[in-house]
Amino acid sequence: MHRHGAARRTATGPRRSAARPGLRVAAPLLAGLLLSGPLLAGCTSAAAGGAAAAPSPASTRSPASTPAGTVATAPPPQPAPQLTDEKVSAAVSRIDGYVQDAMARTGLPGLALAVVYRDKVVHANGFGVRELGKQEPVGPDTVFQLASVSKPIASTVVAGVVGQKAVTWDDPVSTHDPGFALSDPWVSSHVTIADLFSHRSGLPDHAGDLLEDLGHPRDYILQHLRDQPLAPFRASYAYTNYGLTEAAVAVAKAKGVAWEDLAADVLYKPLGMSSTSSLRSAYDGAANKAVPHVRTDGGWQVSATENPDPQAPAGGVSSTVQDLARWMRLQLADGAFEGRQIVDPAALKETRVPQTVSNPPTAPAGNAGFYGLGWNVSYDPQGRLRLNHSGAFELGAATVVTLLPSEQAGIVVLTNGQPIGVAEAVAQEFLDLAQNGRETVDWLGFFGKVVPAAALEGVSSTDYGKPPAGAAPAEPDAAYVGTYSNGHYGPLTVSARDGGLVMSLGPDGLEFPLQHYDGDVFSFRTKGENAVGLSGVTFTVGADGRASAVVVEQLNHEGLGTFTRS
């Protein structure tokens, strides 16, 4: 699921406007959260930009229902609604039992869900406990961290600002944030808010996330996106939390406020989402909150997620299913809520249009997955637009939201455990029951394999826990001790302590004990949201017996992980 809900792959996609020819090509890395085809993906939007809140009979009539002797003047933009009150009620009556069984099978500590249909919350419930070892139950008003479900919420906020005419989706980011730059000056001046919200800027997969793990603040991370090599502009897709964050921050600067305040003013307050915030402090201070958990060999245990404030638009929202049901109702009503137009419908519908191919089909008859503006966009087997996004913190949260705009239906599922596929399985099970009246796929079995497998991305091919037979000895500690500089990650310090070596990184001096592997190669145990177990540290030692440089394997995926002795 890889860091806030995205798996890594490679894809190309359509351009919104012409890009400069001759841009340097680099292998793009994808992310779009295991949601490629209609079964897994999410966002769907009606043809030409989104389903209407209440399609007219003429617009939804299928050829089969056209009166005898007449011919339709055009194909329908979306199939006629297939769900009914009875079908949805039947699915609701069975989903709680499915949740309880899934939690019993996996041991997941807590889960909450809400279902909306035809502008009503038809079901909201909580299951399990907020924290293992304590009795407080999860309920519809329990606050969860949303991880990447924050992204479609952020795009809703930006749509609101677009409707106010303060920005447009096609504004260059540099118009509102003149200091922003990427490694190519031409791309820097042309990349738009839409480019960054649809992950087609050319930035590498998850660019900036490792800086966050090391403790760097938002401003530092956004400024250092300019160090990253770029794939083809508007012709490649790679999921980036900090690309989207930069676009959102630029919109906030256009309004002269902080992003966290903008989100509250444009969306949370008008909708009455009183338990929703883009600040980690609000989650920490909530009395009724779900505590994160991770699954270990010894079972589930309480964990602690990192502070997502630096990437708040992309992964830092916390909320309840009751609040999110209000947001889903607004989405399905094209920006309206209880008689008030809160978000401009045209700006909101643009978020549902496929902007880039996130998952190319793997077979001639396969389905492609797309990314819109903050949404995964796909079309289900019935041809209906489906909007979806998952969220994942490997340190203890897994979430998903799925909307069928033409059916006026949606479901959100929040959990307080690391991603193991339960959230996705519950959402898909509900839609399966509502459409087919039965389970057609073992969703828990399917997602239970796919989701954890995504977390293995980035694990080293070298087993540093097993040094090779006849491993060469290391040089004396003094050969490696010292400070090494790196313009992207900052300084790295190696110190001798307690008979071994310790590596320090980041503004707060995170410490990583080094274990000898072979010769001048050591290993360290990675930390944080992007931890991948043991990773390598390779020193270059000169004829003088002193290391001149060191390469940190985990930080070197884009060639930025070399530190030179100061």
Side-chain angles (χ1 to χ4, degrees):
M1 176 104 24
H2 222 62
R3 326 316 167 209
H4 317 313
R8 298 183 175 188
R9 292 187 188 86
T10 301
T12 58
R15 302 183 181 190
R16 190 179 183 90
S17 61
R20 177 169 64 90
L23 287 175
R24 177 167 49 84
V25 176
L29 295 171
L30 157 96
L33 171 62
L34 27 104
L35 305 172
S36 55
L39 295 182
L40 304 174
C43 315
T44 46
S45 142
S56 68
S59 68
T60 60
R61 183 181 298 130
S62 66
S65 63
T66 302
T70 65
V71 176
T73 58
Q78 281 278 269
Q82 300 175 39
L83 301 186
T84 63
D85 288 333
E86 293 74 21
K87 287 183 176 181
V88 172
S89 295
V92 164
S93 71
R94 296 173 62 183
I95 197 61
D96 286 5
Y98 182 85
V99 170
Q100 292 163 350
D101 178 66
M103 293 178 69
R105 289 169 59 184
T106 63
L108 181 71
L111 180 150
L113 65 82
V115 177
V116 299
Y117 182 60
R118 293 180 177 173
D119 204 31
K120 294 180 180 178
V121 182
V122 296
H123 189 53
N125 205 357
F127 308 83
V129 295
R130 300 179 217 162
E131 181 177 353
L132 285 175
K134 299 184 179 181
Q135 299 302 313
E136 291 89 348
V138 170
D141 294 311
T142 298
V143 177
F144 288 78
Q145 291 181 289
L146 303 190
S148 275
V149 168
S150 303
K151 290 180 174 68
I153 292 174
S155 73
T156 309
V157 173
V158 174
V161 179
V162 171
Q164 297 169 0
K165 310 301 182 185
V167 300
T168 75
W169 284 112
D170 290 319
D171 283 355
V173 172
S174 60
T175 300
H176 307 297
D177 186 4
F180 174 69
L182 297 175
S183 61
D184 184 304
W186 192 91
V187 176
S188 298
S189 63
H190 287 78
V191 65
T192 66
I193 295 167
D195 291 328
L196 291 174
F197 260 87
S198 58
H199 309 298
R200 64 181 184 207
S201 67
L203 281 168
D205 179 83
H206 288 85
D209 285 11
L210 292 172
L211 288 172
E212 178 187 325
D213 278 2
L214 295 178
H216 288 287
R218 178 190 293 170
D219 287 349
Y220 180 95
I221 298 170
L222 296 181
Q223 290 167 7
H224 284 77
L225 290 178
R226 67 189 65 186
D227 301 331
Q228 298 280 350
L230 294 177
F233 180 47
R234 294 184 184 151
S236 59
Y237 169 87
Y239 189 93
T240 60
N241 292 303
Y242 279 97
L244 187 147
T245 295
E246 168 58 37
V249 167
V251 171
K253 288 183 176 182
K255 291 288 290 181
V257 297
W259 169 261
E260 294 74 13
D261 295 330
L262 182 67
D265 292 342
V266 172
L267 188 65
Y268 307 157
K269 291 176 183 177
L271 274 186
M273 298 171 69
S274 57
S275 296
T276 302
S277 175
S278 293
L279 290 168
R280 172 61 182 259
S281 58
Y283 167 77
D284 289 339
N288 180 1
K289 69 171 178 288
V291 174
H293 298 78
V294 294
R295 188 166 62 176
T296 68
D297 292 340
W300 288 91
Q301 65 181 32
V302 173
S303 178
T305 55
E306 293 184 335
N307 183 357
D309 278 356
Q311 54 155 292
V317 179
S318 59
S319 188
T320 69
V321 295
Q322 292 281 36
D323 276 7
L324 293 174
R326 289 172 171 263
W327 168 66
M328 289 193 293
R329 288 172 58 198
L330 173 135
Q331 279 280 341
L332 295 169
D334 289 336
F337 184 75
E338 296 184 349
R340 296 174 295 144
Q341 192 71 45
I342 293 174
V343 177
D344 178 70
L348 189 64
K349 286 182 178 181
E350 193 163 359
T351 68
R352 305 171 181 176
V353 177
Q355 304 289 332
T356 186
V357 177
S358 56
N359 288 281
T362 57
N367 293 300
F370 306 95
Y371 205 90
L373 301 176
W375 282 109
N376 289 298
V377 180
S378 67
Y379 302 87
D380 71 9
Q382 288 73 39
R384 296 172 298 193
L385 171 69
R386 181 178 292 192
L387 304 174
N388 166 284
H389 218 290
S390 287
F393 285 160
E394 289 296 329
L395 295 177
T399 60
V400 68
V401 60
T402 302
L403 304 179
L404 289 176
S406 66
E407 299 284 1
Q408 294 294 287
I411 181 171
V412 62
V413 183
L414 310 179
T415 77
N416 62 347
Q418 74 181 87
I420 59 170
V422 173
E424 290 84 1
V426 170
Q428 189 59 46
E429 178 76 9
F430 175 79
L431 296 172
D432 206 0
L433 293 173
Q435 178 66 35
N436 302 304
R438 63 184 182 87
E439 181 181 70
T440 61
V441 173
D442 175 8
W443 295 113
L444 186 60
F446 174 72
F447 285 110
K449 294 178 181 178
V450 173
V451 173
L456 299 177
E457 187 73 33
V459 174
S460 176
S461 59
T462 300
D463 184 355
Y464 290 101
K466 298 178 180 179
E475 299 289 340
D477 288 351
Y480 310 111
V481 169
T483 298
Y484 303 78
S485 61
N486 179 293
H488 185 72
Y489 291 106
L492 177 157
T493 300
V494 178
S495 305
R497 187 186 307 165
D498 300 327
L501 297 173
V502 176
M503 176 177 69
S504 299
L505 282 164
D508 300 322
L510 289 178
E511 293 189 342
F512 304 86
L514 299 182
Q515 298 295 322
H516 183 247
Y517 177 70
D518 183 15
D520 297 319
V521 180
F522 293 75
S523 70
F524 72 103
R525 184 159 295 280
T526 56
K527 300 178 183 179
E529 182 61 29
N530 295 279
V532 289
L534 293 176
S535 188
V537 175
T538 302
F539 292 89
T540 299
V541 179
D544 60 356
R546 191 164 179 260
S548 60
V550 57
V551 176
V552 180
E553 181 184 20
Q554 189 203 17
L555 307 182
N556 201 41
H557 294 296
E558 308 304 329
L560 299 174
T562 298
F563 295 74
T564 305
R565 186 182 285 275
S566 300

